[in-house]
């Protein structure tokens, strides 16, 4: 199962409005989970074997941001496909293969 999510505090003490420090705390939780993961400019994606395992990491990440902000926003998307592993990279590989085959 893949879980793509974005967690951000509603505000920031940083002069430029950056929420990077709070987001870093969420990413730290994800990395400490030991699950395969990837962080991009907008989302962090994790791969877990079960719903409960993935959602537990998302919950802990939200709690990490809640520790520094009284209001937190969460955007979550899940690809629930039991019996499939390694999809964090495999899904991208399949798209790249189609692009190569079409000459793009």
């Amino acid at each position: 199962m893949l879980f793509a999510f974005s967690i951000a505090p509603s505000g920031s003490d940083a002069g430029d409005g950056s929420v990077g420090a709070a987001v870093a705390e969420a990413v730290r939780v994800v990395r400490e989970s030991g699950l395969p993961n990837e962080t991009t400019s907008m989302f962090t994606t994790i791969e877990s074997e079960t719903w409960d395992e993935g959602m537990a990491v998302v919950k802990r990440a939200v709690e990490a941001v809640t520790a520094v902000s009284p209001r937190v926003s969460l955007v979550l998307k899940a690809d629930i496909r039991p019996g499939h592993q390694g999809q964090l990279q495999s899904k991208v590989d399949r798209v790249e293969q189609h692009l190569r085959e079409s000459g793009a």
Side-chain angles (χ1 to χ4, degrees), residues 8-54:
S10 63
S12 170
D13 291 336
D16 63 357
S18 174
V19 296
V23 171
E25 292 307 311
V27 172
R28 183 182 325 280
V29 167
V30 167
R31 291 182 180 173
E32 288 174 353
S33 77
L35 294 177
N37 66 85
E38 175 183 64
T39 298
T40 65
S41 61
M42 297 290 290
F43 284 89
T44 293
T45 304
I46 59 173
E47 184 166 10
S48 69
E49 296 214 11
T50 68
W51 174 265
D52 290 340
E53 179 183 47

